[in-house]
Amino acid sequence: MADTANGEPPASTMELFNRIAAQGEFVRALKAKKASKDEVDAAVELLLSLKASYKTAVGEDYKADCPPGNPAPGGDCGPDATEPEEDFVDPWTVQTSSAKGIDYDKLIVRFGSSKINKELIDRIERATGQRPHRFLRRGIFFSHRLDMNQVLDAYENKKPFYLYTGRGPSSEAMHVGHLIPFIFTKWLQDVFNVPLVIQMTDDEKYLWKDLTLDQAYGYAVENAKDIIACGFDIKKTFIFSDLDYMGMSSGFYRNVVKIQKHVTFNQAKGIFGFTDSDCIGKISFPAIQAAPSFSNSFPQIFKDRADIQCLIPCAIDQDPYFRMTRDVAPRIGYPKPALLHSTFFPALQGAQTKMSASDPNSSIFLTDSAKEIKTKVNKYAFSGGRDTIEEHRQLGGNCDVDVSFMYLTFFLEDDDRLEQIKQDYTSGAMLTGELKKVLIEVLQPLIAEHQARRQEITDEIVKEFMTPRKLTFDFQ
Amino acid sequence: MADTANGEPPASTMELFNRIAAQGEFVRALKAKKASKDEVDAAVELLLSLKASYKTAVGEDYKADCPPGNPAPGGDCGPDATEPEEDFVDPWTVQTSSAKGIDYDKLIVRFGSSKINKELIDRIERATGQRPHRFLRRGIFFSHRLDMNQVLDAYENKKPFYLYTGRGPSSEAMHVGHLIPFIFTKWLQDVFNVPLVIQMTDDEKYLWKDLTLDQAYGYAVENAKDIIACGFDIKKTFIFSDLDYMGMSSGFYRNVVKIQKHVTFNQAKGIFGFTDSDCIGKISFPAIQAAPSFSNSFPQIFKDRADIQCLIPCAIDQDPYFRMTRDVAPRIGYPKPALLHSTFFPALQGAQTKMSASDPNSSIFLTDSAKEIKTKVNKYAFSGGRDTIEEHRQLGGNCDVDVSFMYLTFFLEDDDRLEQIKQDYTSGAMLTGELKKVLIEVLQPLIAEHQARRQEITDEIVKEFMTPRKLTFDFQ
């Protein structure tokens, strides 16, 4: 998985600008030589998608003679430049100019997914007999793709499904934001009692980053410890490094090749923005992230059954991979995976800034001490409070942009208390220092307990999780 | 391996024409927007390579307003069109208009390889203490790449090397031409006493052809029987299906990813002529044919040693894969594989026609009966003889275009007898019927013995050849 949350640099807007210019010429050339409709359509589709990306990244329409960040003196690149910027989301870049973070309602429309509404949450509660996880109650997992209802139908009819999520191991350092999909996936595993596969895309990180194979693989194993520390059931969970598992499975590569036969470079370009200068490993990688969506990629778990429904909880920036997967699935005779999308975890400095493994102050890391947590929250967590106590008491704080409050929505279990805090902070009854103190008191034991659990994870335990084997669960 | 010998359709010249037109526009667009030198260079390089392919395919220079096969009435596309056509060779298409077959001297210049000269053949004789194989004596293996001498240096210093060859299993039907690389490879294995790996590219055939995975894999296993019947030593030979071995090896996929990181789509396009409409599986496949060139793709044989020299005997149409491999090797810290190239085996109807698995009369198949062989040779083998016996006696026949004579150069071991036949046929002393009789008498026992040996190949033997395991050989 590409983990945007870890702070990839944004695609240069100048690069986008140049790509659009070249693609425009290419479309004109195709038309001039009366190329086939399919060829022209594919080229135009890419051109439009590049222009859309440009607009979301730069905040204004592409204009041929007006490169980004370089407005013509005469103001030719004029009026649009003052419009508010739109969000940009793909597997490598998440960008917004709003302190409130990404506008997820707009993103749902753009991605064509569905909102997780109260009705669906109620249904999950009925099906599992469990209170929905706070991530569902609070809209942190906010979007799904056809069809979570189908998964629940099947579940209620005692038909099996399995969970699939993953991580791109780009460094040893993981922060609390990285845990979101895993915390939620563990809950899903517990309440549905289903098997789970977790893909560590060390091959992807090797392809995209300046890493050796050994480094990427080493990060995969280290990160697996933090994932295991989330409490997954060893009897129901298989964690795998792509570099290892590709050479251990009779089913994985066969599915990779099947998918690769059914995606053209044009399609991959349209979905992921690849260029001709990208290496062929990047271009074919999406099939490797897609393959675990099909149950016969895991013969040791599912034997030769290809029909077991897959449910993928992930951050919404991973959606392009699974849009592609869902497009290919029926053409190779497999069921489409269902998806549950989460929002992004904000950086301490605010939802419009980036978390970065190389900037320890941009987030709370899983290795931080109690003291470091206290210092970071007090010093760096962007505040929605007022400039003076008097003003704050009078006008109240703004929870929509306050990072400490945002973090509490992720980690404070008690709904009533969270609501009380929101009211008190908004009214001015609670001061920023008091709000931060609550967060510190939530984070310190959370991280300490994680560290204690991680301490217990021996190499043997990791090895067992990462060994292809049967899993224990009830299947019809 | 793509087996051109099996008769792939040629890339349409109109398609080439359109690609050049679009690429030309693309280069102009890049220059107009002042793209980086690297970008422009890459685009120009592809343009030139497309034009070169066009020229070899169409036989005349590309002219913007003059599509192939459609000369303008005014004769604008004029004079060049009357020039003799040049040969075209890539992994999917081998095309010549000459009854003598491809002009291999020109091909060596165009591919930039070296001719196997008498000095090198003498050296092989000295190093092995064995008489050089008739394929070497007669220029059937005619070209090499740096550096067969290096391999011999190493061998004489008791440094190890290994052999790698392969087959693309596109159908069950194999003809005698398919045996050429295997007959020669067996000889190399015998005289050098080295390990051998044989790749069955069932994944490639699945990607390129209208086959299911199971069909492609089934052909790989069936074809393996014919290969084993060539007499390979089970203690020194590992045959593998890509579909199987990718999921059985801790080394293979790691090398595939390493190679894929070091080849851009631009480069793959330049070498293999891929387009944006090709599936991402085709685009990344060359890395899979490249990976067996590196010894640590086979940890069960070579442990973790990455430095063991590889020698690849193959038909020269496979050279593009290994040009790419040799380019990548030093950048990932591996030795470049050495290559020995063979000429193509001609169809019965003449060197300028195509053999096809779907046309049983285009070649001698390994399943043909003695009677079928006799009928085919008599009826279809293109003759260099004269129209009447009188004319033939007076003017003599032409061995350069006579397919029966060509086949004898491949299969008649006795040099003196071959020379005598050449003299007699050229002088007119030998008639076409007599020449064909010699060929029939050579082919009938050759095929019968092959069939007898193949009969002995049980499923267990195939399974053992295809099981990753240690091989027995002398290594320092």
Side-chain angles (χ1 to χ4, degrees):
Chain A
M1 304 241 165
D3 48 352
T4 321
N6 216 15
E8 308 282 337
S12 134
T13 49
M14 194 59 216
E15 214 173 296
L16 257 179
F17 180 86
N18 286 338
R19 264 202 242 155
I20 294 172
Q23 187 66 17
E25 292 294 334
F26 185 61
V27 168
R28 278 186 286 280
L30 285 175
K31 287 180 177 169
K33 77 178 177 67
K34 302 204 192 310
S36 74
K37 190 173 175 305
D38 277 2
E39 270 185 284
V40 174
D41 285 353
V44 169
E45 194 180 329
L46 174 59
L47 179 63
L48 293 178
S49 115
L50 287 170
K51 284 187 174 175
S53 301
Y54 183 87
K55 192 173 180 186
T56 54
V58 178
E60 57 181 318
D61 283 322
Y62 166 83
K63 285 183 184 174
D65 299 317
C66 181
N70 188 19
D76 280 354
C77 305
D80 287 341
T82 61
E83 280 185 10
E85 291 182 26
E86 271 194 35
D87 305 331
F88 182 86
V89 174
D90 82 3
W92 302 278
T93 313
V94 175
Q95 207 169 273
T96 177
S97 61
S98 163
K100 295 183 190 175
I102 299 286
D103 184 329
Y104 292 104
D105 286 331
K106 278 193 187 168
L107 203 61
I108 282 182
V109 174
R110 214 158 75 225
F111 277 21
S113 60
S114 310
K115 189 155 184 164
I116 296 180
N117 55 21
K118 177 138 193 332
E119 201 184 324
L120 181 58
I121 297 174
D122 287 347
R123 205 176 155 199
I124 293 174
E125 179 158 11
R126 279 199 309 278
T128 62
Q130 302 283 332
R131 188 176 182 213
H133 192 273
R134 63 177 185 275
F135 290 172
L136 283 171
R137 304 195 307 264
R138 295 176 195 165
I140 286 170
F141 273 79
F142 71 106
S143 154
H144 71 124
R145 270 189 195 277
L146 189 75
D147 191 343
M148 189 55 201
N149 280 307
Q150 205 168 296
V151 173
L152 292 170
D153 285 344
Y155 180 75
E156 286 169 345
N157 289 310
K158 311 272 179 214
K159 284 261 179 63
F161 75 93
Y162 73 103
L163 296 164
Y164 159 39
T165 191
R167 156 144 182 90
S170 49
S171 77
E172 273 190 43
M174 285 177 69
H175 54 65
V176 283
H178 289 135
L179 294 187
I180 306 304
F182 296 108
I183 291 171
F184 188 63
T185 302
K186 176 188 157 30
W187 180 80
L188 289 170
Q189 181 181 61
D190 288 347
V191 300
F192 287 106
N193 185 31
V194 287
L196 160 67
V197 297
I198 300 176
Q199 180 181 47
M200 310 298 288
T201 57
D202 41 8
D203 49 357
E204 179 214 4
K205 289 305 161 198
Y206 168 75
L207 288 166
W208 259 265
K209 302 261 179 180
D210 188 18
L211 293 176
T212 65
L213 278 179
D214 286 345
Q215 282 172 324
Y217 179 69
Y219 294 157
V221 174
E222 278 309 304
N223 289 180
K225 290 185 186 170
D226 280 304
I227 292 169
I228 293 167
C230 291
F232 291 104
D233 184 342
I234 199 164
K235 295 200 198 70
K236 294 188 273 175
T237 307
F238 173 48
I239 303 178
F240 62 101
S241 130
D242 285 343
L243 291 174
D244 264 359
Y245 186 59
M246 192 70 81
M248 292 173 148
S249 170
S250 61
F252 193 29
Y253 179 60
R254 278 176 162 78
N255 275 342
V256 167
V257 177
K258 271 196 177 185
I259 298 159
Q260 286 179 343
K261 184 172 180 169
H262 293 85
V263 179
T264 66
F265 180 58
N266 260 329
Q267 290 167 327
K269 228 160 53 163
I271 301 170
F272 301 99
F274 295 136
T275 72
D276 289 13
S277 309
D278 279 315
C279 72
I280 59 176
K282 286 186 184 181
I283 290 166
S284 58
F285 173 76
I288 290 165
Q289 186 155 330
S293 311
F294 305 125
S295 58
N296 60 348
S297 291
F298 305 96
Q300 72 277 17
I301 305 175
F302 304 109
K303 310 225 171 74
D304 57 358
R305 285 191 65 173
D307 63 336
I308 298 175
Q309 174 71 50
C310 176
L311 172 62
I312 306 171
C314 64
I316 194 159
D317 62 313
Q318 300 298 306
D319 186 64
Y321 285 112
F322 302 115
R323 254 181 280 162
M324 184 197 85
T325 309
R326 290 167 50 90
D327 176 57
V328 169
R331 294 190 285 136
I332 56 178
Y334 294 156
K336 293 182 179 189
L339 287 165
L340 291 173
H341 296 130
S342 74
T343 61
F344 304 112
F345 190 76
L348 274 176
Q349 284 76 4
Q352 79 282 32
T353 66
K354 290 183 160 300
M355 278 181 291
S356 159
S358 61
D359 176 5
N361 295 325
S362 63
S363 189
I364 304 297
F365 282 79
L366 299 179
T367 45
D368 284 347
S369 67
K371 189 155 171 274
E372 282 168 325
I373 293 169
K374 187 176 172 185
T375 308
K376 281 189 187 182
V377 171
N378 280 330
K379 199 162 168 186
Y380 298 108
F382 182 79
S383 166
R386 301 288 169 169
D387 289 344
T388 64
I389 292 184
E390 294 67 32
E391 223 184 315
H392 190 85
R393 291 281 187 216
Q394 192 187 344
L395 301 169
N398 182 357
C399 285
D400 287 346
V401 301
D402 191 287
V403 170
S404 300
F405 183 79
M406 291 180 196
Y407 277 30
L408 283 176
T409 63
F410 281 86
F411 295 114
L412 181 64
E413 178 59 32
D414 185 332
D415 288 350
D416 295 337
R417 190 162 172 223
L418 187 69
E419 183 54 34
Q420 190 61 52
I421 289 169
K422 187 173 186 179
Q423 283 181 21
D424 290 351
Y425 195 64
T426 306
S427 73
M430 178 180 255
L431 295 176
T432 295
E434 292 163 338
L435 175 61
K436 289 192 168 188
K437 186 156 178 283
V438 177
L439 177 63
I440 291 163
E441 285 167 5
V442 167
L443 285 180
Q444 280 176 336
L446 184 124
I447 298 291
E449 284 158 21
H450 179 89
Q451 289 167 355
R453 283 193 306 268
R454 191 187 197 283
Q455 196 69 29
E456 303 288 303
I457 311 298
T458 61
D459 290 345
E460 287 65 42
I461 292 175
V462 176
K463 203 176 162 191
E464 189 174 342
F465 267 101
M466 297 184 81
T467 299
R469 65 205 192 283
K470 282 190 188 179
L471 298 181
T472 314
F473 49 87
D474 304 324
F475 261 10
Q476 295 273 312
Chain B
M1 303 240 165
D3 48 352
T4 321
N6 218 15
E8 307 282 337
S12 134
T13 49
M14 193 62 216
E15 213 173 296
L16 258 179
F17 180 85
N18 286 338
R19 264 202 242 156
I20 295 172
Q23 187 67 16
E25 292 294 334
F26 185 60
V27 168
R28 278 187 286 282
L30 284 176
K31 286 180 177 170
K33 75 178 179 68
K34 303 202 192 312
S36 74
K37 189 171 175 307
D38 279 1
E39 269 184 285
V40 175
D41 284 354
V44 169
E45 195 180 328
L46 173 60
L47 180 62
L48 293 178
S49 116
L50 286 170
K51 284 188 174 176
S53 301
Y54 184 87
K55 192 175 180 185
T56 56
V58 178
E60 56 180 318
D61 285 322
Y62 165 84
K63 284 184 184 172
D65 298 318
C66 181
N70 187 19
D76 280 354
C77 306
D80 287 341
T82 62
E83 280 185 10
E85 290 182 28
E86 273 195 33
D87 305 331
F88 182 86
V89 175
D90 82 2
W92 302 277
T93 312
V94 175
Q95 207 170 272
T96 177
S97 61
S98 164
K100 296 181 188 173
I102 298 286
D103 184 330
Y104 292 104
D105 286 333
K106 278 194 187 167
L107 203 60
I108 282 181
V109 174
R110 215 159 75 225
F111 278 20
S113 60
S114 310
K115 189 155 183 162
I116 296 181
N117 54 22
K118 177 137 193 336
E119 202 184 324
L120 181 57
I121 296 173
D122 287 348
R123 202 172 160 206
I124 293 174
E125 180 159 11
R126 280 199 309 278
T128 62
Q130 303 282 334
R131 185 172 184 218
H133 193 272
R134 62 179 184 275
F135 290 172
L136 283 171
R137 305 196 306 265
R138 297 176 194 163
I140 287 169
F141 273 81
F142 71 104
S143 154
H144 70 122
R145 270 189 195 278
L146 188 75
D147 190 339
M148 190 56 202
N149 281 307
Q150 205 169 296
V151 173
L152 292 170
D153 285 345
Y155 180 75
E156 288 169 344
N157 289 310
K158 311 269 179 219
K159 283 261 179 62
F161 75 94
Y162 72 103
L163 296 163
Y164 158 38
T165 191
R167 155 142 181 91
S170 49
S171 78
E172 272 190 43
M174 284 177 69
H175 55 64
V176 284
H178 288 136
L179 295 185
I180 306 305
F182 296 107
I183 291 171
F184 188 62
T185 302
K186 176 188 157 31
W187 180 79
L188 289 170
Q189 181 181 61
D190 288 348
V191 301
F192 286 107
N193 185 31
V194 287
L196 159 66
V197 295
I198 300 177
Q199 180 182 48
M200 309 299 287
T201 56
D202 43 7
D203 49 356
E204 179 215 3
K205 289 305 160 198
Y206 168 75
L207 288 166
W208 260 264
K209 301 260 179 182
D210 188 18
L211 293 177
T212 65
L213 278 178
D214 286 345
Q215 282 171 326
Y217 178 71
Y219 294 158
V221 173
E222 278 309 303
N223 289 180
K225 290 185 184 168
D226 281 304
I227 292 168
I228 293 167
C230 291
F232 291 105
D233 184 342
I234 199 164
K235 296 200 197 68
K236 294 188 272 177
T237 307
F238 172 49
I239 303 178
F240 61 100
S241 131
D242 284 343
L243 291 174
D244 264 0
Y245 186 58
M246 192 69 81
M248 292 172 147
S249 169
S250 61
F252 193 29
Y253 180 58
R254 278 177 162 78
N255 275 342
V256 167
V257 177
K258 270 195 178 187
I259 298 159
Q260 287 179 342
K261 184 173 179 170
H262 292 84
V263 178
T264 67
F265 180 60
N266 260 329
Q267 290 167 327
K269 223 158 60 161
I271 301 170
F272 301 100
F274 295 136
T275 71
D276 288 13
S277 310
D278 279 316
C279 72
I280 59 177
K282 286 186 182 180
I283 291 166
S284 58
F285 173 76
I288 291 166
Q289 187 155 329
S293 311
F294 305 125
S295 57
N296 60 348
S297 292
F298 305 97
Q300 72 277 15
I301 306 175
F302 305 109
K303 308 224 171 75
D304 58 359
R305 286 191 64 174
D307 63 336
I308 298 174
Q309 174 71 50
C310 175
L311 172 62
I312 305 171
C314 64
I316 194 160
D317 63 315
Q318 300 298 307
D319 187 64
Y321 285 112
F322 301 116
R323 254 182 278 161
M324 183 197 86
T325 309
R326 289 167 51 88
D327 176 58
V328 170
R331 294 190 285 137
I332 56 177
Y334 294 155
K336 292 181 180 192
L339 286 166
L340 291 173
H341 297 130
S342 74
T343 61
F344 304 111
F345 190 76
L348 274 176
Q349 285 76 4
Q352 79 281 33
T353 66
K354 289 182 161 301
M355 279 182 290
S356 161
S358 59
D359 177 5
N361 295 324
S362 64
S363 190
I364 305 296
F365 282 78
L366 299 178
T367 45
D368 284 348
S369 66
K371 188 155 171 275
E372 282 168 325
I373 293 169
K374 187 176 173 186
T375 309
K376 280 189 188 181
V377 171
N378 281 329
K379 199 162 170 187
Y380 299 108
F382 183 80
S383 167
R386 301 288 169 169
D387 290 343
T388 64
I389 292 184
E390 295 67 34
E391 223 182 316
H392 190 85
R393 292 284 186 214
Q394 192 188 344
L395 300 167
N398 181 359
C399 286
D400 287 346
V401 301
D402 190 286
V403 169
S404 300
F405 183 79
M406 290 181 197
Y407 277 28
L408 284 176
T409 64
F410 281 86
F411 295 114
L412 180 63
E413 177 59 32
D414 186 332
D415 288 350
D416 296 337
R417 189 160 173 225
L418 187 70
E419 183 53 35
Q420 191 61 52
I421 290 169
K422 187 174 186 177
Q423 283 180 23
D424 290 351
Y425 194 65
T426 307
S427 72
M430 178 179 253
L431 297 175
T432 295
E434 293 163 336
L435 174 60
K436 287 193 170 189
K437 186 157 178 283
V438 177
L439 176 62
I440 291 163
E441 285 167 5
V442 167
L443 284 180
Q444 280 175 336
L446 183 124
I447 297 293
E449 284 158 22
H450 179 89
Q451 288 167 355
R453 283 194 306 269
R454 192 188 196 279
Q455 196 67 30
E456 304 287 304
I457 312 298
T458 61
D459 291 345
E460 288 64 42
I461 293 176
V462 176
K463 202 175 163 192
E464 188 173 344
F465 267 100
M466 297 185 81
T467 299
R469 65 206 191 283
K470 281 190 187 180
L471 298 181
T472 313
F473 49 85
D474 304 325
F475 260 11
Q476 296 271 312

